[in-house]
Amino acid sequence: MAFYTTDELNELGFKALGKNIKISTRAAIYRPEEMEVGDNVRIDDFCIVSGKIKFGRNVHLAQFSNVSGGASGVVFDDFSGLAYGCHVFTGSDDYSGKTLTNATVPFEYKGHSEASIYLGRHVIIGTNSVIFPGVSLAEGTAVGALSMITKNTLPWSIYFGAPAKKIKDRKKDLLTLEQRYLNKFD
Ligand SMILES: CC(C)(COP(=O)(O)OP(=O)(O)OC[C@H]1O[C@@H](n2cnc3c(N)ncnc32)[C@H](O)[C@@H]1OP(=O)(O)O)[C@@H](O)C(=O)NCCC(=O)NCCS
């Protein structure tokens, strides 16, 4: 994968940039001036990333993922990530039939709503999943492939399905490995 150099990243005009950031030159980044990017973040080929987004450290967006932060914003806390082809969006049209829909129609004819999204530390989302506006994924949530997350999750839990339901608790062993990894930077 080809990544932007540090100079090229600085030229893109992010709000804040950490160290050792790998953003593919094939990713589409819209409104970087609203994005804060922590250390060791990686964004792969063909991701589409737009609007207000805060990435903590060691966040990964795998190929073909789409994150639309809008004005409300998405926060990816440390060590969280999306597997291939996930969709995370803070805004949605009104599907009830009360208003017009879709991006070609001016806002005055639409019932567009927006709400922020939070992915806690160590959250991992399986391939081709969808996260709805307003959802908060608690620390340590894991979500299986092809899931639709419409509600907040409980910490250290594994979910899957559409809509996603908790199937079991998630182990916390990874916290020991996190500490070992972070100790290298002290
Ligand atoms: C959700 C997940 C973590 C569960 O893993 P697990 O605890 O090992 O569970 P199992 O594989 O034993 O599956 C348990 C049951 O749930 C079903 N299941 C597993 N994942 C599912 C999913 N995403 N959607 C629907 N059903 C699923 C299995 O078919 C199985 O059903 P059965 O008991 O009727 O045979 C895993 O299946 C998954 O989806 N991982 C994400 C993988 C991914 O997207 N990787 C991308 C690259 S990082």
Side-chain angles (χ1 to χ4, degrees):
M1 222 177 296
F3 297 109
Y4 287 113
T5 64
T6 303
D7 286 346
E8 286 168 339
L9 285 174
N10 285 330
E11 274 170 31
L12 286 174
F14 288 93
K15 184 173 176 188
L17 269 180
K19 295 185 213 123
N20 188 36
I21 289 162
K22 293 190 165 71
I23 298 181
S24 163
T25 54
R26 293 187 181 87
I29 310 288
Y30 296 99
R31 307 210 305 279
E33 65 279 7
E34 296 179 42
M35 289 176 203
E36 296 169 68
V37 188
D39 296 348
N40 309 308
V41 164
R42 193 177 115 178
I43 299 177
D44 291 351
D45 289 353
F46 312 118
C47 286
I48 304 173
V49 184
S50 65
K52 187 175 163 191
I53 305 176
K54 184 171 183 182
F55 297 97
R57 64 171 297 151
N58 291 82
V59 174
H60 179 216
L61 307 187
Q63 288 91 331
F64 293 106
S65 286
N66 168 39
V67 182
S68 175
S72 309
V74 179
V75 174
F76 288 87
D77 216 327
D78 303 344
F79 298 96
S80 62
L82 306 177
Y84 317 106
C86 288
H87 295 275
V88 179
F89 48 93
T90 56
S92 181
D93 283 343
D94 178 351
Y95 279 52
S96 70
K98 288 184 189 154
T99 63
L100 285 171
T101 64
N102 94 38
T104 68
V105 176
F107 268 93
E108 62 199 280
Y109 303 102
K110 301 216 299 174
H112 186 84
S113 60
E114 263 210 44
S116 61
I117 292 174
Y118 174 69
L119 287 83
R121 304 181 85 251
H122 301 293
V123 166
I124 181 158
I125 310 294
T127 183
N128 281 292
S129 294
V130 179
I131 301 179
F132 272 36
V135 166
S136 179
L137 293 125
E139 173 174 304
T141 301
V143 175
L146 286 165
S147 297
M148 181 175 86
I149 305 107
T150 56
K151 292 186 179 144
N152 296 352
T153 64
L154 297 169
W156 299 101
S157 303
I158 301 180
Y159 288 73
F160 70 63
K165 303 276 187 218
K166 179 170 175 171
I167 52 163
K168 56 180 154 183
D169 290 337
R170 188 176 182 212
K171 294 185 176 66
K172 292 183 184 170
D173 303 7
L174 60 84
L175 293 175
T176 310
L177 293 170
E178 177 195 359
Q179 203 47 59
R180 206 182 296 165
Y181 170 73
L182 291 175
N183 285 345
K184 286 200 313 183
F185 299 92
D186 289 343

